[in-house]
Amino acid sequence: MSPDATPDPFTEPVAFGQRMQILRTRRGMSRGVLAGLLGKSPSWVKQVEGGRLQMPKLPVVLRIAEALRVRDLSDLTGDQSMAVHLFTGPGHARLPQVRSAINTYPLTTQREAPPQAHLRERLARAWSARHSAPNHRDVIGALLPDLIRDAQLAVLQADSAAERRTAQAVLSQVYSLSQFFIAYQPDSSLLWRIVERGMVSAQESEDPHTLGVAAWLATQAHRDSGAAHFDAADAVNLETLRYLEPLLTDATDDVLAIFGALQFEAGYTAARRGDTGTAWRYWDTARAMADRLPADYYHPVTSFSKAVMGAHAVTIAVELHAGTESVRQAAAADTTTIPSRPRRARHRIEEARGYQLDGQIEAALATLDKAYEAAPETIRYNGYARRIILEEAESKNPTQRRRASELAVKVGVLAS
């Protein structure tokens, strides 16, 4: 290897501080930004990276891993006995079948595609099943392979330009459902194939709502890739908002909702950057859009609604690392009106993050228990929940350590 080359932290015996610096640099993150996310000084980061301070204790290591979006803890520590996937959950048993359906392109027609109305009905039922099932990945993982193949066939067999556009809209929405299944599983390349194909099909459909949903999911995929991709997240998000805005006067509830959901996503990204004013400004704009929707409206993909705005406020506060504000927003949020089990579980995880930030560890662990009750598969695949459980399993407080260990067993967080 050239003496000028950047060492690979995964192949060379590199010290913890060097690994931390390499991974930070790959994320395009400055020492100051990382220090702010950790509640430390830039000087502390520099001393750790330079080897003048030893590897921190596990709770701090886990916070570093979260800030750098490290998928496997051993990538940061160099200790293969700590091969714990933080932001990638276990591979689902149905992942091979879903992957095979996505990777296969039909070029010849061995059978006739189902009518598009039939496909739309199956898709609507799949979304309904996702929101109502505690083990939602298992349910939609069973439905997706046939849905993907049939939606692809419908595009291939379309007889007119108009029929092809509507078929592309259905296919894009099937890819959207697929992204919910694939997210946080150990196949990032498959996730990006789904994101890109969903966006292309949405563009081919020329349907504003379908385009909005595909952009909403692309925004999340970029943002979850780390700080170096925040600009890409904003690019697709803000461009879609500009496209949709002239259509709002006569828009359907679904278009209004996806516009509001994209406004919130812009605020979410701003919060991840630490931009408090921008984050809350976008949340206010999203709330104003939610107020235009019927009281009982609930978007089938994004969960955007009046009911979810309280949960969104908790997320903004947590991403800004504002513990007291997170707890205040959690107390104000009415989660009983959120009809989706996985969305309620996700909100409970965000609440738990807020309680931990505020030093209320018992409340954080109790809230994670509630998340597990709502949707076990949501907490099992959520990196933030896994990080809290792992941290508190090392707690000096025996009660907290025991409770976190019991959660770890239920969730399977240490199974890898």
Side-chain angles (χ1 to χ4, degrees):
M1 182 175 71
S2 164
D4 297 325
T6 301
D8 189 328
F10 312 136
T11 59
E12 299 290 333
V14 181
F16 174 84
Q18 291 174 287
R19 286 173 176 268
M20 178 171 147
Q21 182 176 10
I22 292 163
L23 292 164
R24 174 180 61 76
T25 303
R26 287 185 177 182
R27 285 292 182 200
M29 186 182 294
S30 69
R31 283 196 181 109
V33 169
L34 178 58
L37 292 173
L38 300 174
K40 301 286 188 179
S41 68
S43 173
W44 182 88
V45 173
K46 184 176 182 180
Q47 289 181 71
V48 172
E49 291 182 346
R52 291 186 292 280
L53 289 177
Q54 294 183 343
M55 184 175 80
K57 292 184 179 180
L58 182 60
V60 178
V61 171
L62 289 167
R63 290 189 182 279
I64 295 169
E66 177 187 337
L68 296 176
R69 303 297 288 178
V70 173
R71 299 281 177 180
D72 190 323
L73 198 59
S74 64
D75 292 343
L76 178 60
T77 65
D79 181 357
Q80 293 304 310
S81 68
M82 299 181 74
V84 177
H85 294 280
L86 294 176
F87 290 90
T88 303
H92 196 280
R94 298 189 187 276
L95 179 59
Q97 291 80 16
V98 175
R99 181 192 293 119
S100 177
I102 290 167
N103 287 340
T104 302
Y105 273 113
L107 298 177
T108 58
T109 57
Q110 302 296 324
R111 59 186 176 84
E112 187 175 353
Q116 288 190 32
H118 177 64
L119 278 173
R120 286 193 292 272
E121 178 61 26
R122 284 166 57 191
L123 183 60
R125 289 183 180 181
W127 278 115
S128 178
R130 180 191 177 269
H131 289 303
S132 60
N135 293 312
H136 46 90
R137 274 188 171 84
D138 195 51
V139 171
I140 64 173
L143 299 173
L144 275 171
D146 286 342
L147 257 177
I148 293 166
R149 283 188 283 265
D150 288 347
Q152 289 173 335
L153 272 182
V155 172
L156 184 66
Q157 296 177 10
D159 290 329
S160 66
E163 187 179 338
R164 182 178 177 83
R165 284 194 296 273
T166 57
Q168 289 282 19
V170 173
L171 179 58
S172 179
Q173 291 160 26
V174 170
Y175 283 138
S176 296
L177 182 64
S178 302
Q179 188 171 335
F180 276 82
F181 175 83
I182 296 296
Y184 306 115
Q185 293 199 54
D187 196 336
S188 59
S189 63
L190 181 64
L191 173 69
W192 278 106
R193 283 200 294 283
I194 292 170
V195 171
E196 291 168 357
R197 291 181 190 179
M199 198 69 192
V200 169
S201 289
Q203 289 173 324
E204 291 288 333
S205 78
E206 300 180 10
D207 176 63
H209 176 249
T210 302
L211 274 162
V213 170
W216 181 80
L217 287 163
T219 295
Q220 294 187 8
H222 282 296
R223 187 178 56 236
D224 286 348
S225 297
H229 301 269
F230 288 174
D231 286 348
D234 276 340
V236 66
N237 194 348
L238 300 180
E239 176 66 18
T240 309
L241 285 170
R242 284 190 289 270
Y243 162 74
L244 291 174
E245 191 164 16
L247 309 177
L248 295 181
T249 302
D250 300 316
T252 63
D253 288 341
D254 283 346
V255 172
L256 293 176
I258 197 60
F259 187 85
L262 287 163
Q263 291 280 356
F264 168 71
E265 291 301 320
Y268 193 162
T269 305
R272 289 284 297 273
R273 282 193 171 101
D275 188 343
T276 302
T278 301
W280 285 114
R281 176 170 58 80
Y282 274 116
W283 181 87
D284 282 334
T285 307
R287 182 182 58 180
M289 190 57 59
D291 287 342
R292 293 176 60 176
L293 296 168
D296 60 349
Y297 176 86
Y298 197 79
H299 191 269
V301 179
T302 68
S303 297
F304 190 81
S305 58
K306 291 181 178 180
V308 88
M309 290 311 301
H312 281 339
V314 174
T315 297
I316 294 291
V318 167
E319 291 297 344
L320 290 168
H321 299 272
T324 301
E325 179 64 14
S326 302
V327 171
R328 189 183 75 81
Q329 293 291 351
D334 182 7
T335 59
T336 61
T337 57
I338 297 177
S340 168
R341 293 182 72 127
R343 187 61 187 85
R344 287 201 305 273
R346 168 66 189 276
H347 172 62
R348 292 299 188 190
I349 293 167
E350 297 294 273
E351 278 189 310
R353 293 176 68 196
Y355 284 128
Q356 191 192 40
L357 283 169
D358 201 45
Q360 300 184 45
I361 305 305
E362 285 288 344
L365 294 173
T367 304
L368 287 179
D369 259 325
K370 293 178 181 177
Y372 183 84
E373 291 169 9
E377 284 194 341
T378 295
I379 188 171
R380 187 169 294 134
Y381 287 84
N382 187 281
Y384 297 114
R386 295 161 71 86
R387 191 262 295 165
I388 293 172
I389 292 168
L390 285 168
E391 275 193 35
E392 301 311 326
E394 295 285 325
S395 172
K396 293 180 181 179
N397 182 308
T399 303
Q400 293 170 9
R401 186 170 62 248
R402 182 175 61 254
R403 188 160 195 176
S405 298
E406 290 170 354
L407 257 175
V409 171
K410 282 201 297 188
V411 174
V413 75
L414 296 177
S416 57

